[in-house]
Amino acid sequence: MRFRVLGALEVRSGAHRLIRLGAAKQRTLLAVLLLNVNRPVTIDRLLEALWPQRPPRTAVVALRTYVSALRQVLGLADRDGQQGGEPPLLSTVPGGYQLSVSPADLDLLVFQELADQGRQALSDGLPVLAGDRLRRALALWRGRPFEDVPLDPGMEADLIRIEERRIAAQETWIESQLALGHHRDLLAELGAMVIEHPLRERLHAQWMLALYRSGRQAEALAAYRELRLRLVRELGVEPSPPLRRLHRQILTGHEDLAGAGAAAPAGARLRDPGMPHQLPRDIVSFTGRTAELTCLRALARPPGGPAAPVISVIDGMAGVGKTALAVHAAHRLADTFADGQLFVDLHGFTHGVSPVDPAEALDQMLCALGVPGEQIPPDLDARAALYRTRLAGKHLLVLLDNAAGEAQVRSLLPGTPTCMVLITSRRRLAGLEDVRPLSLDVLPQDDAVTLFTRSAGPERLAGQPPELPAEIVELCGRLPLAIRIAAARLRMRSGWTPAHLAERLRDHQHRLGELEVGRLSVTAAMDLSYRHLGRGRQDMYRLLGLHPGPDFERHAAAALAGTTPRHAGRLIDDLVDAHLLQEPVPGRYRFHDLLRVHATAALADEDTDADRDAALTRLFDHYADTASDAVDTAHPRTHPRPHPRADPPACPRPPGDHGRGRRAATAPDTRDRAHAARWLETELTNLLATAVYAACHGRPGHALRLSAALHRHLHTGAHHTCARTTHGDVPHPAGDTRVAALCGVADLHLMLGQFTQAAGHFGRVLEIARAAGDPVGELNALCGLGHVCRAQGKTGAAARYLEHSLRIARSAGYRDGELNALCGLGEVHLMLGRHASAADRFRRALQIALRIGDRNAQFEGLHGLGRVYQGAGQAERALAFHQVALPIARALGHRADQARALHGLGRACRSLGRQDEAREHWRRALAILTDLGVPEAEETSVQEIRAQLRKL
């Protein structure tokens, strides 16, 4: 079996078949063992690598599972290709594990052996042999070691050591080629390497020697000058004695150097060290941010000139493109600041690197401004004063990237109004005075698609449907870092298509794992922000990932965390300042899609099932209790229930939590009718999402309580697009609370006109009921599907579902079900213009409703008959039925039904020539719908009523 780690991690069997490794943590486990091959690795080190944040309580057990799975993979791979040989041994050793591999089976060990042989051959005066060994060693490299494995910061040192060995091997190979006189052949490769490694003196010495021996003495001397300037400016040191000696030899054409060179051109000089130009390279594929760039340009060139230094803080979530914007803007503004540009990476959020101390940052900038090292004072305040002095009167731009907080940058701000400072940070630096904040959001879709196209290459998207890139960038949350990673993966994988990439990203649970390439990782970027939080903020962040709705406010957050709204509000504000939450409107908070996935993953890693269940119970209790109280306040009952109904089952609470005092501490104020109605409207989407989640995740009691409250609110408030006759406060007669809960949330979707979701839930109920032999559940599901089809205008399918439901209801003796089906069939026949059939169904429904005392169904039967006779041209009879229906709607307190009855009365009166009465009925109906703030209620609407009034 062969292991390849100098690039992407690969395992191949003896038959050279690529072995598929498992989950990301299994790959990380193998990577740690291979980095320490043939040496024991402690359990603590493995836990740190697999869970860099905080190992879960079950981490040791999980580690054993990963080790067992890895042993199985290695064992199967070994059987695939070896006959009788010893497999790689993953053995348990005291305190940990050890992976034993022969040197020939790991490319890292082969590389080290060949590189050692090459160095020894060169020392022995055998450059040809040395070149051969080193060339073979370097050919093993396919990319960055373990480039597709998520590694913790503790492994960075190991990777740096391996990279250092590669560069040293390259330098030794170059030495062998120079010894063979191949200096001209080396120029292109050496030129690229000195750009990639601008501070390696050995490479620069080889570059200078190759240039000199190629007859390019002036360029060799210029290369030395540039290196010396860089060393002094960035490190505050002079070149080493060997390099200075080589410089003198090239300058004088020393005989020890084979070859001759030309004189340096006149006027050649060192760049003025007091004129720094330190900006990183701009990104060619930079896209969008037009408004932000315009804003920064205006700040840099204010009318009449600035009265103080212009300081702009660019903040935003991890990966949103803060540094890219700042660098791009700085390049575009460079001409405005003729005295140069300073750049310092403050490492506020960098894996494995501590934030730069302000004194150290000042040391770097003073050196860049040409201050000799011995003249830089040791004291922070003295350095800051000298820094401000050197900048006085200069037109200079300072870019402070990746700031951790206000304290880190305060001493780095110039005092002269001719300077501009751009600061980037993941936090809002609200504590800095006189700054111009610029908070970045994700990209608009058009810019996101353009960025993806530029980064992936237009040729990779040629001939693809235009909606595919749009979907990919939405799956990336329109986050620039995620878009660039997705594009890079598509660009590098020639066998992938955009459709394949989109399919991988659609997997919500593993989406973050797909957004990693090389050292770029959305997860790692978000982990950094998360790790900089205090414990309480981390807990709140994770728990908020449980919230099933699209947004939330502080009372819901308090319920999840089991704390007070005031304390929850403080924690949430801190998360907003850290750009881990968004606040699109005051007091309402939400996650970016990828941050929600990250929070959910962190919750799964760090919290127990019991912790998660307790938090959800608190949240569901909060929503169910508050919704019930709000509905009672906003829509008080004006009549007793028409016939006895069982209450939804009580919702279990976690041990030790009996709710005493908790609800009072976390519930919003719903005692006032206006506030209660506003809370119900604002939280409607969250309440529905919670009811759906509860119904689908084993919490039917909560689902029933929520659906009961929401049915009453939606029906009374005329939100229903298509209401069934029975409503969600009726638990399932057979006692199957799961079926009842699913029916309840399906009804809610139906009332809100969300027909696809409603049909999906009713279909699930039908499967469950038929599997359990539950006729009542089956007829409720069939009836619900009939109402969905009716609302969609599919009258044929609606009739079939409802007739089937009616037959089961009669067979089971379930009068509520029969009543529901008959009302639905009456509506279907009325839609088809079959007035006699419609009247028959509504009449039979009315008889049942009168017998069982269901006042709401009585209204539907009477109102339906009124509409039937109106359609049949019998206005007198229609008027009579609507006149009986209206008082029932008033007694029930259903204002939308009152508007429906008044509309029916208006139509009947107009047909009978009673124009004034018709006008009065329609005006009252219009007033009700306007007051309710709804455009329509079942078969009537504001638009139709106004049209009828215009005709009078």
Side-chain angles (χ1 to χ4, degrees), residues 29 189 192 207 223 228 231 268 328 333 337 359 369 385 406 455 601 703 715 745 780 794 836:
L29 171 64
E189 183 172 353
W207 169 235
R228 179 184 177 278
L231 291 171
H328 187 71
L333 296 172
F337 299 95
L369 291 169
E406 294 92 334
S455 301
H715 186 79
V745 297
N780 274 338
K794 302 174 182 178

Side-chain angles (χ1 to χ4, degrees), residues 689-762:
T690 302
V692 171
Y693 185 94
C696 297
H697 292 82
R699 293 174 178 266
H702 285 111
L704 283 170
R705 293 179 63 202
L706 283 166
S707 62
L710 288 177
H711 268 282
R712 188 166 148 211
H713 170 61
L714 293 176
H715 186 79
T716 307
H719 288 269
H720 51 286
T721 295
C722 175
R724 297 210 292 167
T725 302
T726 55
H727 298 287
D729 55 351
V730 186
H732 194 270
D736 186 342
T737 53
R738 179 177 55 156
V739 166
L742 286 171
C743 275
V745 297
D747 275 345
L748 293 176
H749 284 299
L750 177 58
M751 295 175 79
L752 291 168
Q754 299 169 357
F755 302 128
T756 301
Q757 296 94 319
H761 289 302
F762 281 130

Side-chain angles (χ1 to χ4, degrees), residues 405-417:
E406 294 92 334
Q408 190 183 27
V409 300
R410 198 179 300 278
S411 300
L412 312 182
L413 303 179
T416 182

Side-chain angles (χ1 to χ4, degrees), residues 188-306:
E189 183 172 353
L190 268 172
M193 290 184 67
V194 295
I195 293 174
E196 184 179 358
H197 306 286
L199 299 177
R200 291 187 72 90
E201 291 194 359
R202 187 182 181 192
L203 268 179
H204 279 78
Q206 293 170 335
W207 169 235
M208 291 162 58
L209 188 58
L211 285 170
Y212 178 81
R213 289 179 177 177
S214 299
R216 297 161 64 176
Q217 182 189 29
E219 293 175 64
L221 294 171
Y224 175 81
R225 287 194 298 271
E226 290 175 5
L227 173 62
R228 179 184 177 278
L229 178 61
R230 188 176 296 112
L231 291 171
V232 170
R233 185 176 59 204
E234 297 184 18
L235 303 180
V237 298
E238 291 288 339
S240 64
L243 194 61
R244 293 202 299 270
R245 183 168 54 254
L246 175 62
H247 172 247
R248 289 193 298 272
Q249 289 176 329
I250 292 175
L251 191 63
T252 60
H254 198 279
E255 60 185 5
D256 288 347
L257 304 180
R269 60 183 178 85
L270 285 174
R271 203 163 130 192
D272 180 3
M275 293 278 290
H277 297 274
Q278 295 185 321
L279 294 179
R281 70 178 182 89
D282 201 0
I283 299 175
V284 177
S285 59
F286 184 89
T287 303
R289 304 297 189 196
T290 304
E292 291 86 351
L293 289 168
T294 301
C295 175
L296 291 172
R297 190 182 304 113
L299 288 176
R301 301 164 182 164

Side-chain angles (χ1 to χ4, degrees), residues 6 107 110-115 132-141 169:
L6 301 178
D107 59 357
V110 175
F111 163 77
Q112 292 172 350
E113 176 65 19
L114 289 171
D132 174 72
R133 294 292 188 270
L134 291 162
R135 187 183 66 254
R136 288 167 54 191
L138 293 169
L140 295 170
W141 285 72

